[in-house]
Amino acid sequence: MLAETSLSIWGWGSLGVVLFLITFGPFAIFYFAFYILCFVGGGFVVTLLFGKNNSEKYLEQCEHSYLPCTSVGITKCIEEMKHEARPIKIDRRLTGANIIDEPLQQVIQFSLRDYVQYWYYTLSDDESFLLEIRKALQYALVQFSARSKETDWQPYFTTRLVDDFGTHLRVFRKAQQRIAEKGDQMKDQAEELVDTFFEVEVEMEKEVCRDLVCTSPKDEEGFLRDLCEVLLYILLPPGDFQNKIMRYFVREILSRGILLPLINQLSDPDYINQYVIWMIRDSNCNYEAFMNIIKLSDNIGELEAVKDKASEELQYLRSLDTAGDDINTIKNQINSLLYVVKVCDSRIQRLQSGKEIDTVKLAANFGKLCTVPLDHILVDNVALQFFMDYMQQTGGQAHLFFWMTVEGYRVTAQQQLEVLQSRQKDGKHQTNQTKGLLRAAAVGVYEQYLSEKASPRVNIDDNLVAKLAETLNHEDPTPEIFDDVQRKVYDLMLRDERFYPSFKQNVLYVRMLAELDMLKDPSFRGSDDGEGESFNGSPTGSINLSLDDLSNVPSDETVQIHAYISDTVYADYDPYAVAGVCNDHGKTYALYAITVHRRNANSEETWKTYRRYSDFHDFHMRITEQFENLANILKLPGKKTFNNMDREFLEKRKKDLNAYLQLLLNPEMMKASPALAHYVYDFLENKAYSKGKGDFARKVPPLIQKTCSDPEHCRVAAPIDDNVDDNIPLRVMLLLMDEVFDLKERNQWLRRNIKNLLQQLIRATYGDTINRKIVDHVDWMTSPEQVADAVKRFRDAFWPNGILAETVPRRDKAIRMRTRVAGKTKLLEVMPDELKHIIGAETTRKGILRVFEMFQHSQLNKRMVYVFLERFLETLFPQNKFHELFNKLHSRSKQMQRYKQRLHSTQAPSLQKR
């Protein structure tokens, strides 16, 4: 029954489905499903809307009963946000000087506009971020300004800057010498020079090498980023520095937007060459100087650029249709240009073949050289140094130094006798003292060169020596007492084959002619028309000697002397005052009161004498020159140019000077140098001290020069010379001349002559106020007006007319090469002839071209710029250990790593032996 019922249900159901499909079609089932879905969805929507309305009504009923009140501040904040943004007020004060603040604000505005705003406004209109960056920059500038005002810039400009430039030039000179010693023809000599330069730098600096920063753009950018981040850490408040986004933006603006373009411009050789030409734009180029540059050029690019320009000018001149007088002028121009092309072609062929000719050797082999008389050699500074070198090689230096010493004795003796006669007319009597000094000087000359104990001894006729000794023993010495012996020595040097005749056949003679510019034009022989070259030297102008240097008085062993500094006194400037106060332009200095006890067999004396530090310094220089062994024993306290009147400093100097005096007066010291007693007694006498080092006559050097241990492999240190440290311009000029013209490698007699000449020139021009004028000049350089002018020049260079300057396209190579030639020509042309006469034409030419060549390598120029920047920051932030920081930043240097490896490999064998 149940089975029949289920069968009937399925039957009727199937019949219904069949009839439905026949009636409505096969798609009716889909329509039916869609209608059911719509019904269900509609019911769900109606239910949702009904529940939402009921919920809102319920919440409105319960709002005041169950939920807390809405905060008034939120509503007020929403209303404030709907209002328009108020204008931002910026404090424009940065340095305290309006003339500086205005261009600085413009630089900040231009930097933000061109490096930040152009992309920031595409992301947001909110200016709060820009405001924060601007505040951070301004705060850093305020801190920077405050630091700079507290800094003493005088040592930086007068000492550190010059020393760093001198060191840079020394490294370049040593690198050139090292490449020249290799002697092989390198494919890329410029690249080899750069590598060698940094090798020498690490050997000289010992702790740092800047090769990566100067040769790798990636490392350079990283170095500037690290440096800027350190500066921001110092200058920004901690809260702003911890804001990484803002810090990174400011860092990138400073490093990539300002410092990197500035350093690239300053290190560009073409920019430097154009600046050099602009600086000496008033000097006209000389044709002879131009041709000398072409003949001396070792750069094929320069020669080809000049040749192409000359050929272009030739084509232009030949195309002109001229007649009359103009044709002669054009022919002369064409001939000159043809000669330039010919010289360029010849020079290029010689360089390409590698057969460079040494003009000195060529002239030596040629044999036809002009003759410079011996009497002219002896009175010319340049010629004399070469003859002195030759005489030292042949062992005849004693004859030459004797002749020079006698010349100095004669001149000084004449001066002393003239002074004596004038004092006698005034009623002052110092006859015995002056004659005693003359006798002591004459005896000193005799003992040093003619006595049996002299070493080396001047070998001349014994009868003349005996006659001179007899005269010294029984007569008062006169300025002419050595004339006979000196004449004999002169004849010996003139005729002896070992000396002057052989000197004329030596390569030193040829180099002397090159220095005198006499290889090309042997006009010195003395033509009848009077056009020959003249020598304006004289014994009084170049080789004088003071009586104090020649004095050699034996000490009295029965005399005992003790001295100590008992007090330090201040006095106004008066060179003859021993006590009291005088006034001369308000200049003050410290006097040291020295209490002296002198005792002998019959008496005992005590007195006080007053000496300045400069008196001690002059005395020290005099005795160390006369007694070479004292230089390594006696150490005078160092000088201090600025702030040397500080009480604490003076007390320390007093103790050091006391120790110096006690060591000097040690009996063993006196026994070792008996003649020293005369200088000590003269210094400690109760009278105004008469300086000897300042006299222009003191120019004859000792036979043995004092040298430090391998100074060429050291940095150029501040105290380059003991007696020029307090004279800023003399120190600067002597240091630069040492490095530019390589004077330390040459005869020291010439260097001392130059030093004395510069000293006399500076004193005659400026007197004792030169240091004060330099201090005033440094103050002027750092004044608000000059700083504002520098900021304006920076602004105008990077944003001319307020628009970011486009990258200047690199000029054509030919133009850059011709600019180099023009720069070298102008530099040689501007050099005064007096300088050539002092140190020689060839030395002057080589020195100037060496400096110019140093600036033709952008990597080396970058190194110098970074050194100046590092010293600047070390001076500005002395408490922040920037020196150690820079050593760490440069620690990844490949040259530094190689140097440490070489150092370790050389030290390892010695450690193993131990």
Side-chain angles (χ1 to χ4, degrees):
M1 186 68 181
L2 183 62
E4 292 179 357
T5 303
S6 62
L7 181 61
S8 62
I9 293 174
W10 279 105
W12 286 106
S14 299
L15 180 63
V17 171
V18 171
L19 292 176
F20 178 83
L21 291 175
I22 293 172
T23 305
F24 298 101
F27 294 99
I29 189 170
F30 297 104
Y31 296 143
F32 183 72
F34 175 73
Y35 295 150
I36 294 175
L37 181 64
C38 290
F39 176 80
V40 174
F44 179 76
V45 171
V46 171
T47 304
L48 182 63
L49 291 176
F50 178 77
K52 177 177 179 296
N53 292 332
N54 287 340
S55 298
E56 289 177 352
K57 291 179 181 179
Y58 181 75
L59 288 174
E60 288 178 1
Q61 294 175 1
C62 300
E63 181 178 3
H64 300 287
S65 302
Y66 300 100
L67 298 179
C69 298
T70 305
S71 175
V72 180
I74 296 176
T75 306
K76 187 175 182 181
C77 181
I78 294 174
E79 293 177 356
E80 290 290 336
M81 292 176 64
K82 293 179 180 179
H83 293 165
E84 295 183 359
R86 297 178 181 178
I88 301 174
K89 294 183 179 180
I90 301 174
D91 187 358
R92 303 181 67 85
R93 293 174 298 176
L94 297 174
T95 64
N98 292 330
I99 56 176
I100 302 177
D101 293 347
E102 182 179 353
L104 266 181
Q105 287 289 352
Q106 291 178 344
V107 170
I108 295 175
Q109 180 63 36
F110 294 156
S111 300
L112 292 176
R113 181 195 67 190
D114 296 325
Y115 297 119
V116 179
Q117 290 179 3
Y118 80 95
W119 59 263
Y120 177 74
Y121 282 140
T122 62
L123 303 178
S124 174
D125 294 332
D126 187 9
E127 296 188 355
S128 59
F129 177 70
L130 298 177
L131 178 62
E132 291 301 322
I133 293 182
R134 188 181 189 112
K135 286 182 178 179
L137 285 172
Q138 292 192 171
Y139 186 87
L141 286 173
V142 170
Q143 297 300 315
F144 184 87
S145 174
R147 289 287 187 102
S148 62
K149 291 177 182 178
E150 299 172 357
T151 303
D152 182 11
W153 292 107
Q154 294 160 5
Y156 174 76
F157 286 107
T158 60
T159 301
R160 296 183 182 179
L161 209 63
V162 182
D163 290 346
D164 289 332
F165 179 79
T167 301
H168 187 82
L169 183 55
R170 176 176 294 182
V171 174
F172 180 77
R173 176 165 53 83
K174 299 298 289 184
Q176 278 189 324
Q177 293 175 357
R178 190 168 296 184
I179 289 180
E181 290 172 359
K182 295 179 180 178
D184 53 347
Q185 296 293 328
M186 290 164 290
K187 294 182 179 180
D188 193 348
Q189 191 169 4
E191 184 177 350
E192 181 70 16
L193 177 63
V194 172
D195 293 339
T196 307
F197 178 91
F198 288 110
E199 287 180 8
V200 178
E201 182 196 20
V202 72
E203 294 173 3
M204 189 172 294
E205 296 279 0
K206 308 296 184 186
E207 298 178 348
V208 66
C209 184
R210 303 169 181 85
D211 56 335
L212 281 182
V213 175
C214 299
T215 58
S216 172
K218 182 178 179 180
D219 289 300
E220 182 182 12
E221 292 179 7
F223 173 81
L224 288 176
R225 287 193 185 100
D226 293 339
L227 180 60
C228 290
E229 192 148 353
V230 172
L231 290 176
L232 292 177
Y233 174 78
I234 296 174
L235 298 175
L236 290 180
D240 290 342
F241 182 78
Q242 296 301 327
N243 187 339
K244 291 186 178 181
I245 297 178
M246 185 184 66
R247 184 174 85 227
Y248 290 163
F249 273 115
V250 176
R251 183 192 70 181
E252 292 300 312
I253 291 174
L254 291 177
S255 61
R256 293 179 56 85
I258 297 178
L259 287 180
L260 188 59
L262 180 62
I263 292 172
N264 287 336
Q265 183 178 18
L266 294 177
S267 58
D268 181 20
D270 190 47
Y271 172 80
I272 296 174
N273 295 339
Q274 294 179 64
Y275 188 73
V276 168
I277 295 175
W278 177 82
M279 286 184 64
I280 51 181
R281 58 191 178 279
D282 296 333
S283 173
N284 295 323
C285 286
N286 182 278
Y287 178 76
E288 183 180 357
F290 170 72
M291 293 308 303
N292 285 336
I293 291 298
I294 296 299
K295 294 175 183 178
L296 294 173
S297 176
D298 57 356
N299 189 305
I300 296 180
E302 292 179 359
L303 297 171
E304 290 178 344
V306 173
K307 175 188 171 184
D308 293 342
K309 189 64 177 178
S311 300
E312 181 182 334
E313 290 293 325
L314 276 173
Q315 293 179 0
Y316 171 75
L317 291 175
R318 285 170 175 169
S319 66
L320 295 177
D321 185 13
T322 57
D325 296 336
D326 292 341
I327 193 171
N328 294 325
T329 303
I330 292 177
K331 284 183 178 180
N332 292 334
Q333 293 177 356
I334 290 176
N335 291 333
S336 298
L337 291 172
L338 287 173
Y339 179 68
V340 171
V341 172
K342 179 181 178 181
V343 172
C344 290
D345 284 334
S346 174
R347 186 68 180 161
I348 290 172
Q349 292 176 4
R350 188 176 300 165
L351 291 173
Q352 288 177 342
S353 63
K355 297 179 180 179
E356 183 63 23
I357 297 177
D358 190 336
T359 55
V360 174
K361 292 181 179 179
L362 181 64
N365 295 330
F366 187 64
K368 294 181 179 180
L369 302 174
C370 61
T371 300
V372 182
L374 179 60
D375 55 341
H376 289 286
I377 291 177
L378 293 175
V379 295
D380 182 80
N381 283 334
V382 176
L384 182 57
Q385 61 165 319
F386 288 97
F387 187 58
M388 189 181 299
D389 291 340
Y390 175 78
M391 293 294 281
Q392 288 178 338
Q393 291 178 6
T394 58
Q397 68 270 23
H399 298 77
L400 179 59
F401 284 127
F402 172 77
W403 188 92
M404 295 166 61
T405 303
V406 171
E407 284 294 311
Y409 167 82
R410 180 190 297 111
V411 173
T412 312
Q414 290 173 351
Q415 294 174 352
Q416 292 293 327
L417 291 177
E418 290 174 1
V419 172
L420 177 62
Q421 292 175 1
S422 63
R423 288 183 176 179
Q424 287 177 345
K425 291 180 182 179
D426 296 337
K428 299 178 181 179
H429 300 283
Q430 291 184 345
T431 306
N432 293 333
Q433 181 180 0
T434 302
K435 289 183 177 180
L437 286 174
L438 285 174
R439 179 176 298 280
V443 171
V445 174
Y446 176 84
E447 293 290 339
Q448 186 174 359
Y449 295 104
L450 301 174
S451 67
E452 296 293 336
K453 300 178 181 179
S455 179
R457 184 174 183 268
V458 176
N459 295 318
I460 57 172
D461 189 1
D462 292 338
N463 293 329
L464 279 177
V465 177
K467 182 180 178 181
L468 175 63
E470 185 71 17
T471 305
L472 287 173
N473 290 330
H474 297 91
E475 299 179 12
D476 291 333
T478 63
E480 299 81 16
I481 192 171
F482 291 103
D483 282 4
D484 292 339
V485 180
Q486 186 192 28
R487 194 176 299 110
K488 187 70 176 178
V489 171
Y490 178 84
D491 292 338
L492 181 66
M493 290 190 297
L494 179 65
R495 293 180 171 81
D496 194 317
E497 287 296 329
R498 296 174 298 166
F499 304 139
Y500 178 68
S502 298
F503 173 63
K504 292 191 295 183
Q505 308 299 322
N506 193 275
V507 68
L508 287 173
Y509 183 79
V510 183
R511 290 177 180 171
M512 180 193 75
L513 295 179
E515 293 289 1
L516 298 175
D517 235 359
M518 296 171 61
L519 280 180
K520 296 179 295 183
D521 183 17
S523 59
F524 184 76
R525 298 177 184 178
S527 57
D528 296 334
D529 57 3
E531 293 181 355
E533 184 178 351
S534 61
F535 280 67
N536 296 322
S538 65
T540 59
S542 59
I543 45 175
N544 295 331
L545 185 68
S546 71
L547 285 173
D548 293 333
D549 287 332
L550 298 174
S551 301
N552 190 9
V553 180
S555 61
D556 186 356
E557 295 184 358
T558 62
V559 176
Q560 297 180 359
I561 189 167
H562 303 279
Y564 63 94
I565 301 176
S566 55
D567 198 4
T568 304
V569 186
Y570 291 92
D572 286 338
Y573 177 73
D574 183 0
Y576 301 103
V578 294
V581 177
C582 301
N583 191 1
D584 186 8
H585 304 292
K587 182 174 181 179
T588 60
Y589 60 88
L591 285 175
Y592 298 93
I594 306 175
T595 302
V596 185
H597 300 278
R598 182 171 63 183
R599 178 188 303 170
N600 55 27
N602 301 320
S603 63
E604 182 176 348
E605 296 179 88
T606 301
W607 68 86
K608 276 191 175 184
T609 187
Y610 297 84
R611 295 288 180 259
R612 298 178 59 181
Y613 174 80
S614 60
D615 299 333
F616 277 93
H617 189 273
D618 181 87
F619 170 71
H620 176 77
M621 293 303 301
R622 293 171 64 183
I623 62 175
T624 51
E625 284 192 4
Q626 291 299 315
F627 309 97
E628 297 292 334
N629 59 314
L630 297 182
N632 298 323
I633 302 174
L634 293 174
K635 300 298 180 183
L636 190 70
K639 289 195 173 187
K640 186 179 181 183
T641 305
F642 304 106
N643 301 324
N644 54 7
M645 299 301 295
D646 181 66
R647 174 71 63 179
E648 185 176 331
F649 170 76
L650 290 177
E651 287 299 320
K652 180 179 182 302
R653 176 178 278 179
K654 172 186 169 184
K655 294 179 181 179
D656 295 338
L657 290 176
N658 246 330
Y660 175 86
L661 269 181
Q662 303 315 311
L663 181 60
L664 178 66
L665 296 174
N666 189 297
E668 298 298 327
M669 183 82 72
M670 291 294 186
K671 290 180 181 179
S673 304
L676 178 62
H678 166 75
Y679 295 92
V680 176
Y681 296 160
D682 181 69
F683 178 72
L684 295 177
E685 281 191 32
N686 188 13
K687 63 177 184 179
Y689 179 66
S690 176
K691 289 186 173 67
K693 283 298 296 179
D695 298 338
F696 185 66
R698 305 190 75 247
K699 291 190 176 182
V700 178
L703 296 181
I704 302 176
Q705 298 296 332
K706 301 183 289 293
T707 58
C708 66
S709 58
D710 200 8
E712 282 297 302
H713 287 84
C714 304
R715 281 182 50 85
V716 176
I720 60 167
D721 203 339
D722 288 340
N723 62 333
V724 302
D725 198 26
D726 62 336
N727 193 322
I728 297 173
L730 177 61
R731 180 193 173 281
V732 171
M733 294 172 69
L734 187 59
L735 184 147
L736 293 179
M737 291 188 72
D738 273 344
E739 300 305 327
V740 172
F741 303 110
D742 201 9
L743 296 184
K744 286 188 176 181
E745 291 290 320
R746 307 179 66 192
N747 194 297
Q748 291 295 311
W749 177 86
L750 173 67
R751 182 177 182 273
R752 184 159 303 180
N753 272 356
I754 293 173
K755 183 197 70 178
N756 284 320
L757 181 62
L758 292 174
Q759 194 170 18
Q760 292 299 317
L761 176 64
I762 292 170
R763 287 183 177 177
T765 307
Y766 298 101
D768 294 329
T769 63
I770 181 62
N771 279 0
R772 170 49 52 190
K773 290 184 178 180
I774 290 179
V775 171
D776 294 341
H777 184 71
V778 172
D779 292 338
W780 174 79
M781 289 172 59
T782 56
S783 64
E785 293 79 8
Q786 293 304 308
V787 174
D789 187 59
V791 175
K792 289 177 182 178
R793 289 200 300 269
F794 174 81
R795 177 200 62 193
D796 296 337
F798 280 80
W799 291 277
N801 299 321
I803 301 173
L804 182 64
E806 297 181 359
T807 303
V808 179
R810 188 173 178 84
R811 300 200 305 167
D812 183 69
K813 180 181 179 182
I815 298 177
R816 288 186 279 115
M817 291 295 104
R818 288 195 290 271
T819 304
R820 286 182 55 168
V821 174
K824 287 192 285 187
T825 303
K826 278 188 167 291
L827 277 178
L828 283 185
E829 182 65 23
V830 81
M831 286 297 106
D833 293 335
E834 291 77 9
L835 182 63
K836 299 177 183 178
H837 290 220
I838 294 173
I839 63 177
E842 187 69 15
T843 299
T844 303
R845 190 158 42 238
K846 288 182 178 179
I848 296 302
L849 294 181
R850 180 187 297 119
V851 175
F852 186 86
E853 180 63 25
M854 181 183 70
F855 287 113
Q856 304 312 307
H857 304 273
S858 60
Q859 299 96 328
L860 308 189
N861 295 337
K862 280 190 177 182
R863 187 261 177 194
M864 185 166 59
V865 173
Y866 279 116
V867 169
F868 289 163
L869 177 62
E870 291 172 11
R871 296 295 176 269
F872 175 82
L873 294 177
E874 290 174 10
T875 305
L876 188 63
F877 305 101
Q879 306 298 328
N880 294 101
K881 299 181 180 180
F882 263 96
H883 180 72
E884 299 178 6
L885 172 67
F886 288 128
N887 289 347
K888 292 180 180 178
L889 291 178
H890 295 300
S891 60
R892 294 188 300 107
S893 165
K894 296 179 181 178
Q895 294 287 356
M896 194 70 196
Q897 295 172 2
R898 294 173 191 166
Y899 174 75
K900 290 181 178 179
Q901 291 175 358
R902 291 196 303 268
L903 193 64
H904 178 73
S905 61
T906 55
Q907 292 177 350
S910 60
L911 294 175
Q912 291 176 358
K913 291 180 180 179
R914 293 181 183 178

